[in-house]
Amino acid sequence: MVRLYKTFVHGFDEEIEGGIPQGHVVLVAGPPGTMKSSLAYSILYNNALHDGTSGVYVTMEQDRESLEFQITRMGMDPKKVGDKVRIQDISRIRRGVEELRDTSRTGSPVEKPWLDILKGHLEDVKGTGDFALLVLDSLPILEIISGLRERRIGLFHFFGWLKALKVTTFVISEVSPDPNIVRDEDFLADGIFALTMDRVGELDVYRRIRCVKMRGVNHNPGIFTLEVEDGAFRVTRVI
Ligand SMILES: Nc1ncnc2c1ncn2[C@@H]1O[C@H](COP(=O)(O)OP(=O)(O)OP(=O)(O)O)[C@@H](O)[C@H]1O
Ligand SMILES: [Mg+2]
């Protein structure tokens, strides 16, 4: 039996047969402000709170303080989970890489091996305590800081490496899957949650979530309205 990790989004886990299979790499995709970071954090937070599962949240753009401010305002309390959810702020590493690139400008751009940056970091983190859930926030930023040029090959190796890590990973990406545009990461990921904000009528905008794919799971591919109240996410069916 494969272990399943719940999203703890009320009403949603039953639509994905109980949760995300252990070891999956899941894309959390959506435009700005669709609550990708908050949702990903809340999955780690609730797994820690309810099941004692350890998680690591690697934030590359938004700093740790800003992320903590956001989730606290939403009604979650990072103190309640303590070390069970570790937020790793690698914006400092990122700045270091940029400086390195600036000082080594000798014609062609230097490609910093992007896997090495993250690998080294996560191996350090694993050394100080094992974890089962990982969030990488976000894929576009990781691409920028790594100076990735051969995107298709780079992503292929990166996803392969993530799968070999044997943790369940949420990779935040900024573009929603578009049936007209084929993106490598959509094929490489084991699962995709697509988050959107949809205009309804003249004035209203609703947040939506859809499980586009989840390997090995007979999930509902339908669209749900996503709401958050007192730090808890829940879905309702769009009629
Ligand atoms: N207390 C709250 N309750 C409900 N919604 C909130 C609350 N605080 C902020 N929000 C909403 O959450 C949004 C930000 O969520 P979050 O940072 O998780 O989104 P994101 O998709 O990660 O955004 P980005 O693309 O900028 O990283 C805000 O724009 C706001 O609309
Ligand atoms: Mg975010």
Side-chain angles (χ1 to χ4, degrees):
M1 268 300 275
V2 173
R3 176 166 182 182
L4 301 175
Y5 290 101
K6 287 194 209 172
T7 62
F8 288 94
V9 174
H10 299 301
F12 195 57
D13 288 318
E14 44 270 46
E15 305 293 346
I16 57 168
E17 290 193 311
I20 299 149
Q22 198 270 329
H24 268 22
V25 178
V26 178
L27 278 184
V28 179
T34 47
M35 298 220 229
K36 302 178 294 294
S37 301
S38 309
L39 175 68
Y41 181 86
S42 96
I43 295 173
L44 263 56
Y45 177 81
N46 282 293
N47 274 281
L49 203 63
H50 298 283
D51 297 331
T53 305
S54 289
V56 169
Y57 192 112
V58 181
T59 179
M60 300 173 211
E61 225 279 312
Q62 187 175 19
D63 64 27
R64 187 197 159 114
E65 288 71 28
S66 163
L67 179 67
E68 283 184 337
F69 174 74
Q70 161 79 7
I71 56 185
T72 305
R73 287 296 292 272
M74 272 190 171
M76 290 176 264
D77 180 3
K79 281 189 219 77
K80 276 192 187 163
V81 289
D83 263 5
K84 288 271 174 202
V85 180
R86 285 174 286 168
I87 300 177
Q88 303 285 321
D89 188 338
I90 70 158
S91 55
R92 247 176 254 120
I93 296 176
R94 179 183 138 212
R95 282 193 285 274
V97 170
E98 275 160 8
E99 276 159 28
L100 194 120
R101 208 179 291 151
D102 283 346
T103 53
S104 56
R105 206 157 269 167
T106 51
S108 60
V110 177
E111 187 169 339
K112 175 79 184 167
W114 69 328
L115 288 184
D116 291 354
I117 303 167
L118 201 67
K119 258 187 202 164
H121 185 73
L122 289 174
E123 274 154 17
D124 286 352
V125 175
K126 269 210 158 199
T128 61
D130 210 0
F131 57 90
L133 298 174
L134 172 67
V135 174
L136 298 177
D137 188 356
S138 64
L139 184 61
I141 302 299
L142 196 55
E143 288 181 36
I144 293 168
I145 64 178
S146 64
L148 185 74
R149 283 176 294 165
E150 297 276 1
R151 187 172 196 271
R152 167 162 264 188
I153 297 165
L155 280 181
F156 176 77
H157 289 301
F158 176 59
F159 275 73
W161 173 73
L162 278 180
K163 282 172 201 179
L165 255 189
K166 305 273 179 223
V167 299
T168 305
T169 309
F170 299 90
V171 178
I172 295 182
S173 122
E174 282 165 9
V175 202
S176 282
D178 178 342
N180 302 311
I181 300 168
V182 175
R183 293 182 311 155
D184 297 317
E185 57 269 42
D186 296 339
F187 289 108
L188 293 168
D190 297 303
I192 304 175
F193 291 145
L195 301 175
T196 54
M197 281 202 265
D198 293 349
R199 197 171 131 176
V200 177
E202 278 290 301
L203 301 171
D204 294 324
V205 173
Y206 288 93
R207 288 199 158 78
R208 299 266 157 89
I209 185 168
R210 182 162 103 84
C211 179
V212 177
K213 83 179 219 190
M214 193 60 70
R215 285 178 182 151
V217 176
N218 180 18
H219 63 93
N220 184 341
I223 300 167
F224 295 83
T225 301
L226 181 69
E227 291 167 311
V228 59
E229 203 179 299
D230 299 327
F233 280 89
R234 69 156 183 269
V235 292
T236 48
R237 193 73 168 103
V238 177
I239 304 152

